[in-house]
């Protein structure tokens, strides 16, 4: 399974709308014996940033675009472009995602997973995702067995 994490130019966790992230770190998750391990697969450039010369409005960065912009066809199309870069992934980990990002990723088969605001390191974000996913799986299995 592959997991995408939006990162800054210096490869730290990107705290804004992942649609505006300069890069994405793509991680492989594998199960070895009874352990889940992750390793960096690749770093991919977000070509949307290049296309826009890294000029995003504060509303785009903070996921607070007004309804006119949110419903604009060109703006929505920009979000679908993310699938070009992270389409091979099953999950995107992010602090926040605007509705257009969530919708485009969901249609592309990518689930979003919220990084808690207290986490500031990629390794911790990945471990939190693994633990959270495991607990969700256990709860679902327990509830379905009842």
């Amino acid at each position: 399974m592959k997991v995408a994490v939006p990162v800054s130019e210096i490869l730290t966790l990107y705290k804004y709308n992942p649609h505006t992230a300069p890069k994405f770190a793509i991680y492989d998750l594998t199960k070895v014996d009874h352990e889940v391990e992750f390793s960096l697969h690749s770093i991919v450039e977000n070509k949307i940033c290049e296309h826009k010369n890294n000029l995003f409005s504060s509303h785009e960065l903070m996921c607070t675009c007004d309804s006119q912009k949110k419903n604009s066809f060109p703006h929505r199309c920009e979000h679908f472009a993310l699938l070009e870069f992270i389409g091979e992934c099953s999950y995107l980990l992010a602090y926040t995602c605007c509705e257009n990002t969530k919708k485009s990723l969901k249609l592309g088969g990518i689930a979003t997973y919220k990084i808690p605001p207290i986490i500031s390191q990629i390794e911790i974000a990945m471990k939190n995702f693994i633990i959270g996913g495991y607990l969700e799986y256990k709860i679902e299995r327990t509830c379905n067995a009842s």
Side-chain angles (χ1 to χ4, degrees):
M1 170 191 313
K2 290 192 180 348
V3 176
V5 180
V7 294
S8 68
E9 287 290 349
I10 58 170
L11 304 181
T12 59
L13 277 173
Y14 187 76
K15 297 193 181 249
Y16 303 105
N17 186 354
H19 161 73
T20 65
K23 300 175 184 205
F24 292 92
I26 309 297
Y27 286 88
D28 287 317
L29 254 68
T30 54
K31 187 172 182 182
V32 178
D33 296 322
H34 297 290
E35 300 286 321
V36 176
E37 298 178 354
F38 61 93
S39 59
L40 182 64
H41 174 20
S42 60
I43 302 290
V44 295
E45 300 285 329
N46 182 351
K47 301 291 185 193
I48 299 165
C49 291
E50 183 180 313
H51 173 71
K52 292 190 77 158
N53 294 318
N54 289 315
L55 298 175
F56 294 99
S57 71
S58 61
H59 294 290
E60 289 173 302
L61 291 169
M62 304 304 289
C63 301
T64 57
C65 293
D66 62 30
S67 62
Q68 182 179 0
K69 175 117 177 163
K70 284 180 191 175
N71 294 319
S72 147
F73 181 71
H75 182 70
R76 289 192 332 255
C77 287
E78 287 178 0
H79 289 77
F80 279 96
L82 282 178
L83 296 172
E84 180 72 23
F85 321 122
I86 65 170
E88 65 187 38
C89 297
S90 300
Y91 290 91
L92 169 73
L93 310 187
Y95 287 104
T96 185
C97 278
C98 70
E99 290 307 311
N100 283 333
T101 299
K102 286 180 189 176
K103 182 178 179 181
S104 62
L105 294 179
K106 183 177 179 180
L107 289 171
I110 300 173
T112 56
Y113 188 87
K114 185 172 176 53
I115 298 172
I118 61 168
I119 294 177
S120 60
Q121 297 175 345
I122 295 172
E123 180 177 347
I124 304 299
M126 290 295 295
K127 288 177 179 179
N128 179 72
F129 169 70
I130 292 166
I131 292 168
Y134 174 74
L135 290 175
E136 184 177 312
Y137 171 77
K138 291 289 278 184
I139 291 168
E140 185 177 306
R141 284 191 60 200
T142 302
C143 291
N144 288 340
S146 302

